[in-house]
Amino acid sequence: MRAIALALRGSLPRLRPALRPRPTAPSAAALSSMVPGGVNAAPMWLDQDGGKPPFSKVLIANRGEIAVRIIETCRKLGIKTVAVYSDADARAKFVRMADEAVHLGPPPSSESYLQVDRILAAVKHTGAEAVHPGYGFLSENSKFVEALEEAGVAFVGPPHQAMDDLGDKIHSKVIATEAGVSVIPGFKGEIDTPDDAVRIANEIGYPVMIKASAGGGGKGMRVAYTDDETREGFQLSKSEALSSFGDDRMLVEKFIENPHHIEIQVLADNHGNVAAFPERECSIQRRNQKVVEEAPSMMVLPETRRRMQEQAKLLCEKVGYRSAGTVEMLCDEQQNFYFLEMNTRLQVEHPITEAISGQDLVEHMLYIAAGRALPDGLMETGGFLQPKGHAIESRVYAEDPLRNFLPSTGLLLSYKEPKEVVLNSEPSFDDFSFDLASGSLAGLDAAAPKAHPLDAAAEYTRVDSGIVEGFEISMHYDPMISKLITYGETRDDAIKHMNWALANYPIAGLRHNMAFLMDVMKNKTFQGGLTSTDFIPHEYPEGFQTPEFSLLEDFMAAGVTAYMSTRKASKADPSQPLPSGFVMPSDEPESTSVITLNGLKGHPIYTSVKDDLMLSSTVEMLIPGADAMPDDDDITALYGDEHTCTLRLKNITWEHGAVFSCIVSMDVDTLKRLKDADEARVMKFLENTTFQTEGDDVEFKLVAGYGGASDLKTQLYIFGREMDVCSFTPREYEYNSFILKEKEIDVSKILQAPMPGKIISIDVAAGDVVQDGQRVAIMEAMKMQTPLVAPKRTVVKAVNVGVGDTVKVDEVLLTFEDTDDDDDGTNGDVQEAA
């Protein structure tokens, strides 16, 4: 805040002038990492067996980012790896990284990653000594573990009996009670029918949680407040569980409202040692699946942490647990906590535990599976580890927050991870020395690349991903793109670093949740550490809506668009200095353009681009006032008054490719003026953005993704939002008022697919009368089932799809016609059930 206040008052520290050779970005690998743990963790096992690796070859029975993560640790330890893959993953990152790869079958997981016999054959064929299951798929399948044990192959996880005892949510509650662990009230047994579920729900008292006995990750889980919701939730969850885990046993328990979802990570060996790590807070969830996690929790007191760790250790000791596991609990504001379940595998969110403990959990799992004892460093405090610093994980999903977080599919047309867009710091005079004897300047070639000060947070950022630019997110698997992790000495530092990381992560080509994640980081409830499991419905009661840009962001987005349009028109290479005698593009008609930020009919921003000889460009812009708007009923003024802004773009990195980055500079008087015109939004942007001052200027780092374009329209990803931006010449814009606005579709008489997926059931036929909110179909995408409902009382006119059909987003599935008594006054989207 002090930097903001200084900037807005004009009290700007003056920096020393700098030499300005063309800056180049240091490679991601060259950047140091200040995120502890993971593959950066110092080895702790060197004193055992002379530092010999636990295995010579490990097969990874998984895919995506977790397969990449396991391969990275295996490489560190000198272990060869074997990947298994489906047709959809034939060219995936993890397949290319592995030393060997074995094809399993078609894309559906039931025909590939869940095929135990094929994976066992791959183990035998490659001679792998151990199998790491990652999470999901077969990671909690005790039959798979038994088969490996019988084949003499080590399973990097718990023994099958402990998996049966704790992986089963019904049986684990009985064991937890016997071990002295607090449990949630509920029915301790299997439930066979919807009617049984309703009866038990009434005995427990609403609300209740219906959940699969086997599995996790939000699959096969529903909250019910009524008998009808219990019946439907039971049927959907049972079907979902069978599809995802091959096990449709269900349980019902009391749903504790507004709790904190807390986890304790454990490591246990075969020698009776159990280490319990500091807690993770995982309360920000949608569809019972975590989206943002952090460690440690802001609400858990040290004495509560110790009691949680003690109970987690008791549970492990009760069943003779071995390997990594997670004890999940619900904790209320009074520090009362209840055992929820134990995941007998590595968790998705394990990186934040690694960050605050400095450990590599995958490494520990491998050595434990080889029979080694936990290192003394984990047990010197009795196995009760304390947090060091703070870490946050944001799960980047291919999903649409504007459609209730429904999954999305498609190609990643633009994709660069934050460390890949780091700008090199321009060398200052302090980096060089003048040799009087030779008369030469020393140090220019020897100076090591350093990140620009605005990219300092890169060192505190970690990305776990299994994809690259051009990769396709398919409907067959979980829609996760990556896990974005930041670390800091304090929680405020970790949030600041996450804000930087999200702003420097260009993804374009499909719907994703980046704008939502950015909004969470700016949310006052989150910043205050007051999150509970009702965070999303409480903070977004009408659903998430993309925040409007501030006046400052509008000008930045328009400036970047104008620059790219001018460069594209001039065909100039932005990486090369302008030749002698070159006519400045600002003297050409193409340098003056009109930019609209939200399609053809967006508000106009008049721009003029001028290059200089220092590899930078100046963009002058004007937003007209209401009295100067074009004569077009479809175009409205963005702001009532006229506003102007001049930006200077420098440190530009762009070669007409998919990602553009630069430093944006403006004088402090301009920033003050924009702040006065749009104070709330500009201040919110400044409070959550990294910037610096240089002389009388304020500088920001800007990264934009480019998702393909025509000569007129460009898909631009910037500030977490993807938009259609248009660039007109002044003459072209004159004709824009004659272009008709795109006709809106009447959605009151059609049922559209809210996401790409597969039709699981059609519950109506042509001619049926359906009621408002009645379920008419069920879709499945990425292992999640979604009921689709009618918008009002109406008649089914036609059914255009059948069970088993694969459909695209917005494809028309059913059409409706009015009933005789319909007043034709109701109009609503026919979408998924809430």
Side-chain angles (χ1 to χ4, degrees):
M1 288 299 295
R2 174 172 171 76
I4 296 168
L6 285 172
L8 296 181
R9 286 200 303 266
S11 304
L12 304 173
R14 189 171 297 278
L15 303 184
R16 179 177 295 186
L19 294 175
R20 297 187 182 275
R22 167 139 180 99
T24 56
S27 68
L31 291 170
S32 61
S33 177
M34 301 297 290
V35 182
V39 294
N40 298 319
M44 298 185 69
W45 301 83
L46 296 179
D47 59 342
Q48 297 193 30
D49 290 351
K52 179 183 176 183
F55 303 103
S56 61
K57 185 184 289 188
V58 171
L59 183 142
I60 302 160
N62 217 298
R63 64 177 298 277
E65 57 85 17
I66 188 57
V68 171
R69 170 69 187 86
I70 296 166
I71 290 171
E72 288 174 339
T73 287
C74 287
R75 283 181 173 179
K76 180 177 77 171
L77 301 178
I79 301 172
K80 291 187 178 298
T81 54
V82 179
V84 291
Y85 65 93
S86 71
D87 292 342
D89 287 332
R91 293 180 291 176
K93 180 179 178 180
F94 75 94
V95 176
R96 299 201 308 267
M97 287 179 65
D99 297 291
E100 300 175 61
V102 178
H103 176 249
L104 291 177
S109 55
S110 60
E111 301 177 45
S112 52
Y113 295 104
L114 293 176
Q115 286 287 322
V116 172
D117 290 343
R118 294 179 192 175
I119 293 176
L120 292 174
V123 172
K124 183 176 181 180
H125 174 72
T126 59
E129 298 175 335
V131 172
H132 197 306
Y135 48 73
F137 294 135
L138 297 172
S139 62
E140 294 178 285
N141 186 314
S142 63
K143 301 296 184 184
F144 177 56
V145 179
E146 279 189 272
L148 289 172
E149 291 172 351
E150 291 174 2
V153 177
F155 177 72
V156 187
H160 76 270
Q161 188 56 55
M163 185 177 289
D164 279 339
D165 289 341
L166 292 174
D168 185 304
K169 293 179 177 60
I170 297 172
H171 189 44
S172 67
K173 292 184 183 298
V174 176
I175 294 174
T177 301
E178 293 174 352
V181 177
S182 304
V183 299
I184 298 175
F187 180 75
K188 297 178 178 63
E190 297 178 31
I191 300 171
D192 298 322
T193 69
D195 288 339
D196 288 339
V198 169
R199 174 179 55 79
I200 292 167
N202 279 280
E203 291 173 359
I204 296 172
Y206 286 109
V208 297
M209 171 69 80
I210 305 161
K211 63 198 301 186
S213 176
K219 311 293 191 303
M221 299 174 68
R222 297 289 191 284
V223 177
Y225 289 83
T226 66
D227 290 355
D228 288 343
E229 289 180 1
T230 299
R231 286 191 179 88
E232 181 175 72
F234 181 86
Q235 292 171 328
L236 289 173
S237 296
K238 191 175 182 70
S239 175
E240 213 167 75
L242 184 62
S243 173
S244 297
F245 316 117
D247 185 340
D248 64 353
R249 292 174 300 142
M250 305 301 297
L251 62 88
V252 175
E253 64 188 15
K254 181 68 176 177
F255 177 63
I256 299 176
E257 298 189 271
N258 305 327
H260 289 252
H261 187 125
I262 305 297
E263 301 177 344
I264 297 293
Q265 175 75 56
V266 295
L267 282 174
D269 62 21
N270 279 323
H271 306 274
N273 300 307
V274 181
F277 288 74
E279 76 284 351
R280 298 187 290 250
E281 168 86 59
C282 307
S283 296
I284 299 182
Q285 306 177 6
R286 85 282 183 274
R287 295 195 301 271
N288 301 306
Q289 190 174 45
K290 304 154 194 170
V291 184
V292 177
E293 303 104 336
E294 61 180 304
S297 169
M298 291 295 290
M299 64 84 64
V300 173
L301 298 174
E303 53 268 31
T304 306
R305 174 183 302 131
R306 179 62 178 246
R307 288 190 291 120
M308 287 180 167
Q309 290 175 317
E310 288 172 347
Q311 292 200 10
K313 293 184 68 168
L314 285 173
L315 191 58
C316 292
E317 291 164 358
K318 174 73 176 177
V319 298
Y321 193 78
R322 182 197 73 204
S323 193
T326 297
V327 180
E328 300 198 3
M329 303 175 180
L330 294 180
C331 184
D332 64 24
E333 298 293 341
Q334 288 72 46
Q335 305 288 304
N336 300 307
F337 59 89
Y338 306 92
F339 171 74
L340 186 62
E341 63 188 30
M342 182 167 182
N343 289 312
T344 57
R345 53 174 168 80
L346 192 65
Q347 289 280 88
V348 174
E349 58 273 20
H350 75 273
I352 55 176
T353 294
E354 292 182 326
I356 64 166
S357 66
Q359 302 298 313
D360 183 339
L361 294 178
V362 175
E363 178 181 346
H364 288 306
M365 292 180 74
L366 290 165
Y367 278 102
I368 290 170
R372 315 273 180 91
L374 287 177
D376 293 339
L378 292 181
M379 300 305 299
E380 58 190 9
T381 58
F384 298 100
L385 280 72
Q386 298 304 308
K388 299 175 183 177
H390 201 96
I392 298 174
E393 175 179 287
S394 294
R395 299 194 191 185
V396 182
Y397 280 110
E399 64 184 15
D400 191 350
L402 301 177
R403 294 191 180 198
N404 197 26
F405 300 94
L406 288 175
S408 175
T409 62
L411 288 173
L412 290 163
L413 300 178
S414 297
Y415 182 82
K416 294 290 183 185
E417 293 174 0
K419 286 191 176 183
E420 296 180 284
V421 295
V422 169
L423 296 176
N424 190 20
S425 179
E426 296 178 338
S428 72
F429 286 115
D430 294 332
D431 296 323
F432 307 98
S433 61
F434 188 75
D435 189 333
L436 292 176
S438 64
S440 63
L441 188 66
L444 183 60
D445 295 330
K450 293 186 295 184
H452 192 282
L454 290 174
D455 283 330
E459 294 184 333
Y460 299 90
T461 301
R462 165 180 166 181
V463 180
D464 283 14
S465 71
I467 50 89
V468 294
E469 193 169 87
F471 187 81
E472 181 178 8
I473 304 295
S474 79
M475 60 175 282
H476 299 288
Y477 311 115
D478 187 89
M480 183 186 291
I481 294 173
S482 70
K483 300 180 306 196
L484 184 59
I485 304 102
T486 57
Y487 174 81
E489 291 186 7
T490 67
R491 185 172 187 264
D492 286 346
D493 288 339
I495 293 174
K496 180 180 72 174
H497 298 153
M498 183 61 74
N499 278 322
W500 173 88
L502 290 166
N504 285 268
Y505 199 170
I507 304 173
L510 45 66
R511 301 294 182 188
H512 51 69
N513 67 337
M514 292 289 282
F516 170 76
L517 295 173
M518 295 177 79
D519 203 60
V520 169
M521 292 300 125
K522 300 172 184 176
N523 181 279
K524 296 300 183 184
T525 299
F526 172 77
Q527 291 179 346
L530 303 176
T531 57
S532 65
T533 54
D534 75 336
F535 174 84
I536 291 179
H538 182 270
E539 297 298 317
Y540 305 97
E542 304 300 322
F544 175 72
Q545 302 296 322
T546 304
E548 292 183 356
F549 277 2
S550 66
L551 181 56
L552 175 58
E553 292 164 285
D554 277 325
F555 274 129
M556 288 186 179
V560 167
T561 304
Y563 173 86
M564 290 195 293
S565 298
T566 299
R567 280 297 192 186
K568 184 177 179 182
S570 67
K571 306 298 183 184
D573 183 350
S575 67
Q576 299 299 322
L578 299 173
S580 176
F582 183 82
V583 177
M584 290 292 184
S586 57
D587 295 332
E588 302 174 5
E590 289 81 6
S591 67
T592 300
S593 56
V594 182
I595 306 299
T596 60
L597 295 182
N598 295 287
L600 293 171
K601 297 297 182 177
H603 53 271
I605 303 178
Y606 294 85
T607 69
S608 178
V609 180
K610 183 176 181 179
D611 288 344
D612 62 32
L613 295 176
M614 299 299 290
L615 297 176
S616 64
S617 293
T618 299
V619 186
E620 297 179 352
M621 290 171 284
L622 177 145
I623 295 178
D627 58 347
M629 290 296 293
D631 186 17
D632 187 337
D633 293 338
D634 292 325
I635 299 177
T636 57
L638 177 61
Y639 303 95
D641 300 323
E642 176 180 291
H643 296 284
T644 61
C645 179
T646 299
L647 300 179
R648 187 175 174 219
L649 311 184
K650 58 183 184 178
N651 291 54
I652 297 168
T653 302
W654 185 55
E655 296 178 0
H656 306 297
V659 175
F660 174 94
S661 62
C662 71
I663 301 296
V664 176
S665 175
M666 69 173 61
D667 65 74
V668 73
D669 289 336
T670 298
L671 182 58
K672 285 181 180 179
R673 187 160 38 80
L674 299 181
K675 187 270 297 184
D676 291 342
D678 189 21
E679 183 163 6
R681 288 184 294 190
V682 170
M683 287 304 296
K684 184 175 182 180
F685 175 77
L686 293 175
E687 289 169 358
N688 296 279
T689 301
T690 301
F691 60 88
Q692 69 177 14
T693 59
E694 182 171 357
D696 294 329
D697 290 339
V698 183
E699 296 185 341
F700 303 86
K701 165 77 177 299
L702 187 148
V703 176
Y706 173 83
S710 64
D711 289 338
L712 178 65
K713 185 186 294 186
T714 299
Q715 287 181 334
L716 189 72
Y717 170 81
I718 191 169
F719 302 127
R721 194 168 103 188
E722 189 169 289
M723 64 181 74
D724 288 333
V725 297
C726 299
S727 177
F728 304 88
T729 65
R731 178 60 60 86
E732 288 171 339
Y733 191 69
E734 288 180 20
Y735 299 131
N736 189 39
S737 61
F738 299 103
I739 299 175
L740 296 177
K741 193 174 183 179
E742 187 174 350
K743 185 177 180 181
E744 294 184 3
I745 300 174
D746 179 7
V747 297
S748 66
K749 295 183 179 180
I750 59 174
L751 171 66
Q752 293 175 282
M755 58 187 173
K758 184 178 181 180
I759 302 299
I760 298 300
S761 100
I762 296 289
D763 302 330
V764 295
D768 286 356
V769 176
V770 293
Q771 304 301 319
D772 182 8
Q774 178 180 333
R775 193 183 78 191
V776 296
I778 300 176
M779 279 188 65
E780 182 179 70
M782 298 170 176
K783 300 185 288 185
M784 296 293 294
Q785 292 190 2
T786 301
L788 308 179
V789 301
K792 61 180 181 179
R793 187 175 188 274
T794 185
V795 176
V796 178
K797 182 179 181 180
V799 178
N800 300 330
V801 294
V803 173
D805 287 354
T806 299
V807 297
K808 300 177 181 178
V809 65
D810 290 333
E811 184 172 335
V812 177
L813 310 180
L814 280 74
T815 57
F816 303 103
E817 58 188 354
D818 294 334
T819 59
D820 293 337
D821 59 347
D822 190 5
D823 62 6
D824 202 29
T826 303
N827 184 23
D829 290 349
V830 187
Q831 294 294 347
E832 78 284 358

